């Protein structure tokens, strides 16, 4: 990422400081972009960092992996006739400086204890804000380190782990207790209320959405979340087909490509209808990933996958073309079809895990798989509920 100070200052100078702040309005968490840019130009990095961090503790991460083209940069007035202001690079520079030079102190306790189950972006956002507001916070997670999907689901080339390490350091500085390798079942979550005033559940969506076709259990078939989380090495010079075209599919494809393989993304719709951002698609193409559109998986074989062609009918409904099946030979098929929660909220609520009983929710378990910034928003919202009720 280009981040030299001269470039960033030039970007800051191009900012029109629009009074109606379209960039701020387009940001899901309402980052005060013009204000931060003005402070950056004055070299008031600490003040700018405080504004960013207090509004969004995941600001360092968001500056690297937010879907900017749909948010701040996509709404920038400069982008109407030219290039939008590259605020994410400015944000990233400020946050790195701020977190490196700032030592957080452990606030006094207000006597109220909150348990957070899960260690991803929603959990971290809530935990940091609660601790800053004097709650005692303990985070339980079944991984060894903090970060959740940030650490275990996003490739290092997109989100270098040093960023998560820096955030983890600040979490500990604030006095948040982290209990890793803690795998809690539903009854364990219920029992937390014996020792804590409130429990925030942020367990995410770590289980792959299954594909119901013949052959899916073949050993040549992997699910995207398992492939990324477990750092599975496919070897080199393999042919890999990725089913799906969201950002996770792009991460999977680019990872497999970096392992030295031929990679094809197969998607049932045209690429312009895919959930992935244009940036992610462009970077996948630059890495050498190939794309095959208007195809849908029908059956998985030992030596590949049977696909059938699709098309839009006159009502723009996706249909399958009869007698259009063909075999795409490959060594591996990786399914990137979204994820689901281990314990759906409906199931938890049936067991009495509700706000009325002191349980709260944030992150992907609440929204389904979403962006980091959306997880941060739900983390902030959960803090407001906790403070109002506990």
């Amino acid at each position: 990422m280009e981040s030299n100070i001269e470039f960033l200052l030039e970007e800051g100078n191009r900012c029109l400081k629009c009074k109606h702040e379209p960039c701020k309005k387009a940001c899901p968490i309402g980052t005060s972009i013009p204000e931060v840019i003005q402070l950056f130009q004055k070299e008031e990095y600490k003040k700018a960092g405080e504004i960013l961090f207090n509004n969004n503790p995941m600001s360092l991460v968001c500056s690297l992996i937010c879907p900017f083209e749909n948010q701040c940069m996509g709404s920038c007035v400069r982008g109407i006739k030219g290039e939008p202001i590259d605020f994410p690079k400015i944000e990233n520079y400020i946050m790195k400086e701020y977190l490196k030079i700032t030592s957080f102190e452990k606030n006094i306790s207000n006597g109220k204890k909150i348990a957070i189950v899960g260690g991803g972006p929603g959990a971290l956002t809530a935990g940091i804000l609660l601790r800053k507001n004097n709650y005692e916070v303990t985070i339980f997670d079944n991984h060894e380190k903090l970060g959740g999907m940030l650490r275990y689901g996003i490739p290092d080339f997109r989100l270098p782990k040093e960023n998560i390490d820096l955030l983890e350091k600040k979490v500990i500085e604030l006095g948040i207790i982290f209990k890793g390798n803690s795998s809690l079942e539903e009854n364990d979550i219920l029992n937390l209320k014996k020792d804590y005033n409130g429990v925030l559940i942020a367990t995410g969506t770590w289980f792959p959405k299954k594909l119901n076709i013949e052959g899916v259990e073949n050993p040549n078939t992997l699910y995207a979340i398992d492939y990324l989380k477990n750092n599975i090495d496919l070897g080199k010079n393999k042919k890999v087909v990725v089913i799906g075209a969201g950002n996770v599919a792009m991460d999977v494809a680019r990872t497999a490509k970096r392992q030295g393989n031929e990679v094809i993304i197969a998607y049932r719709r045209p690429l312009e209808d895919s959930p992935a951002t244009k940036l992610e698609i462009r970077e996948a193409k630059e890495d050498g990933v190939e794309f095959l559109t208007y195809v849908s998986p029908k059956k998985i074989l030992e030596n590949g996958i049977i696909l059938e062609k699709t098309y839009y009918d006159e009502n723009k409904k996706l249909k399958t073309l009869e007698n259009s099946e063909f075999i795409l030979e490959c060594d591996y098929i990786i399914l990137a079809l979204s994820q689901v929660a281990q314990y759906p909220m409906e199931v938890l609520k049936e067991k009495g895990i509700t706000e009325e009983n002191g349980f709260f929710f944030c992150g992907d378990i609440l929204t389904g798989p979403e962006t980091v910034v959306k997880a941060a928003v739900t983390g902030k919202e959960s803090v407001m509920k906790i403070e109002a009720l506990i």
Side-chain angles (χ1 to χ4, degrees):
M1 172 179 283
E2 184 179 13
S3 58
N4 67 79
I5 194 68
E6 293 81 10
F7 168 79
L8 298 180
L9 286 171
E10 287 177 7
E11 286 296 278
N13 290 335
R14 288 201 308 119
C15 178
L16 298 174
K17 317 297 189 298
C18 306
K19 288 185 179 180
H20 60 296
E21 299 182 318
C23 50
K24 179 179 178 178
K25 292 176 182 176
C27 175
I29 205 163
T31 301
S32 298
I33 295 171
E35 180 186 10
V36 168
I37 289 177
Q38 285 180 318
L39 291 170
F40 170 73
Q41 290 175 301
K42 297 175 184 177
E43 298 185 10
E44 296 184 32
Y45 303 139
K46 187 167 185 178
K47 188 173 181 180
E50 285 176 352
I51 290 171
L52 287 169
F53 190 76
N54 290 338
N55 175 64
N56 177 14
M58 296 298 104
S59 186
L60 176 64
V61 173
C62 289
S63 68
L64 292 170
I65 62 173
C66 255
F68 317 119
E69 66 194 41
N70 302 326
Q71 296 173 178
C72 56
M73 293 180 71
S75 66
C76 179
V77 174
R78 281 289 192 191
I80 296 174
K81 294 184 178 180
E83 289 297 316
I85 306 302
D86 200 337
F87 175 71
K89 286 190 174 71
I90 295 174
E91 181 181 22
N92 185 257
Y93 182 89
I94 291 170
M95 286 311 303
K96 280 187 174 178
E97 292 298 308
Y98 172 71
L99 292 175
K100 285 177 182 176
I101 65 175
T102 304
S103 294
F104 294 125
E105 297 180 358
K106 298 179 182 179
N107 290 354
I108 59 172
S109 169
N110 63 6
K112 297 176 181 178
K113 299 167 65 177
I114 305 296
I116 300 179
V117 185
L124 292 177
T125 298
I128 288 168
L129 295 178
L130 286 167
R131 184 77 277 272
K132 288 170 76 70
N133 291 340
N134 302 323
Y135 286 81
E136 294 180 38
V137 177
T138 301
I139 295 178
F140 297 84
D141 192 82
N142 60 355
H143 297 98
E144 182 180 356
K145 291 188 173 185
L146 278 171
M149 201 65 74
L150 302 179
R151 185 182 292 279
Y152 297 101
I154 301 177
D156 197 63
F157 60 81
R158 273 228 300 145
L159 180 60
K161 297 300 179 283
E162 63 192 46
N163 295 280
I164 315 305
D165 293 338
L166 182 55
L167 275 176
E168 185 173 44
K169 178 182 176 183
K170 296 305 170 184
V171 164
I172 303 305
E173 271 184 18
L174 281 165
I176 293 173
I177 298 170
F178 174 56
K179 295 188 176 182
N181 297 317
S182 299
S183 183
L184 304 184
E185 302 295 331
E186 294 159 285
N187 288 334
D188 299 318
I189 294 173
L190 271 170
N191 289 332
L192 286 173
K193 276 294 275 121
K194 295 177 182 178
D195 300 311
Y196 295 88
N197 300 95
V199 179
L200 175 60
I201 301 166
T203 46
T205 51
W206 286 93
F207 288 74
K209 185 177 180 181
K210 301 296 184 179
L211 179 63
N212 187 26
I213 63 172
E214 186 180 346
V216 75
E217 301 301 330
N218 286 357
N220 64 343
T221 305
L222 305 169
Y223 283 97
I225 186 62
D226 299 327
Y227 172 64
L228 293 173
K229 179 182 176 180
N230 298 312
N231 294 311
I232 295 173
D233 188 354
L234 303 178
K236 294 183 178 181
N237 301 316
K238 306 294 185 182
K239 188 169 183 178
V240 181
V241 174
V242 179
I243 303 297
N247 285 339
V248 172
M250 302 302 149
D251 285 346
V252 165
R254 295 176 70 193
T255 299
K257 193 69 184 175
R258 279 168 167 72
Q259 291 177 344
N261 299 301
E262 178 187 350
V263 183
I264 298 173
I265 284 180
Y267 183 50
R268 58 186 181 145
R269 302 179 185 275
L271 206 50
E272 56 266 26
D273 290 351
S274 74
T277 63
K278 292 177 182 177
L279 175 63
E280 285 295 305
I281 293 170
R282 185 174 73 244
E283 290 181 340
K285 288 181 176 179
E286 289 172 354
D287 282 351
V289 175
E290 299 176 42
F291 289 83
L292 182 61
T293 56
Y294 285 110
V295 291
S296 179
K298 185 173 183 179
K299 181 180 178 180
I300 294 174
L301 311 172
E302 290 184 4
N303 65 332
I305 184 168
I306 296 178
L307 300 170
E308 50 189 352
K309 296 180 181 180
T310 61
Y311 68 98
Y312 282 127
D313 67 12
E314 61 275 9
N315 297 315
K316 288 297 287 180
K317 289 186 177 181
L318 194 69
K319 297 288 185 69
T320 301
L321 188 64
E322 291 185 12
N323 302 316
S324 63
E325 298 92 347
F326 65 97
I327 297 175
L328 182 58
E329 293 186 354
C330 61
D331 299 290
Y332 289 100
I333 298 101
I334 304 180
L335 305 174
L337 304 171
S338 191
Q339 293 100 239
V340 297
Q342 179 180 8
Y343 305 121
M345 284 184 59
E346 317 83 72
V347 174
L348 294 175
K349 287 180 178 179
E350 286 174 3
K351 290 182 171 288
I353 300 177
T354 63
E355 286 186 13
E356 292 77 14
N357 295 327
F359 295 91
F360 304 85
F361 299 88
C362 77
D364 286 357
I365 191 174
L366 183 65
T367 63
E370 262 290 0
T371 60
V372 171
V373 70
K374 292 288 181 64
V377 169
T378 64
K380 289 184 71 174
E381 291 171 346
S382 69
V383 169
M384 293 173 63
K385 290 181 179 178
I386 289 170
E387 290 181 331
L389 297 172
I390 296 177

